[in-house]
Amino acid sequence: AQSVTQLDSQVPVFEEAPVELRCNYSSSVSVYLFWYVQYPNQGLQLLLKYLSGSTLVESINGFEADLNTSQTSFHLRKPSVHISDTAEYFCAVSAGINKFYFGSGTKLNVKP
Amino acid sequence: GAVVSQHPSWVICKSGTSVKIECRSLDFQATTMFWYRQFPKQSLMLMATSNEGSKATYEQGVEKDKFLINHASLTLSTLTVTSAHPEDSSFYICSAREIGVEYEQYFGPGTRLTVT
């Protein structure tokens, strides 16, 4: 079975500062990894995903995540955050097409 | 594109009554839809997977007679919470997988259910 741990429930950060949201997973098989973002009163939106190939994946809005299989981590980073990045971020893992396992989420609060 | 809607966005019902939640894929066809439940400060937990035209597959520990799922078309799945109790109060989220698009699910905005 797979599981996902997001180590920080809340991360406060000032605007234009760098941020890292941590995600660790456990799995006995190869997995696919995802980061989703949820803005208030909205559904989850896919931010980025790792299926295969390069372990560094990037999103169109400046986020990136680096898969580290030895540490079983998939941390999300952004070098300079904006107020508009304030949201809740979910890490998810899947070992197949259907079943997703989600972390408990990290609320990113960007302060001016 | 790839928009999923849920209706209602919130509902309050009395204990013992049933409530139906709809999940629609607005601009794509979805052979598979998923229902999740989210408790405060906790993960999304998969409840069941439904494929169009067939019976849903429920996760271990989810009562299929209590949480009735119907996926009658390629754009609509419904979750009916029967004989609701206060412990059924939660945030229910659906997602859908587009035909031919693997490993990605599009999520609805969720439905907040409160049972009094």
Side-chain angles (χ1 to χ4, degrees), chain A residues 32 34 36 38 41-44 46 49 51 90 96-100 102-104, chain B residues 32 34 36 38 41-44 46 49 59 91 97 102-105 107-109:
Chain A
Y32 309 104
F34 307 81
Y36 286 86
Q38 185 177 34
N41 301 314
Q42 296 186 29
L44 275 71
L46 179 66
K49 61 186 175 186
L51 301 181
F90 291 91
I97 292 178
N98 279 347
K99 212 169 269 195
F100 274 44
F102 284 88
S104 54
Chain B
T32 306
F34 308 87
Y36 294 84
Q38 185 179 25
K41 299 182 180 180
Q42 293 189 30
S43 303
L44 279 72
L46 180 65
T49 302
E59 294 300 298
F91 194 54
R97 196 174 73 228
E102 294 184 351
Y103 309 115
E104 187 162 348
Q105 298 181 17
F107 287 81

Side-chain angles (χ1 to χ4, degrees), chain A residues 41-85:
Chain A
N41 301 314
Q42 296 186 29
L44 275 71
Q45 300 174 27
L46 179 66
L47 193 58
L48 47 79
K49 61 186 175 186
Y50 169 81
L51 301 181
S52 65
S54 173
T55 57
L56 180 65
V57 289
E58 298 176 348
S59 72
I60 58 173
N61 56 356
F63 283 95
E64 64 178 32
D66 198 0
L67 173 63
N68 187 320
T69 54
S70 62
Q71 297 184 4
T72 59
S73 67
F74 192 56
H75 301 332
L76 182 70
R77 302 185 183 94
K78 189 170 185 178
S80 177
V81 294
H82 302 288
I83 295 287
S84 59
D85 293 324

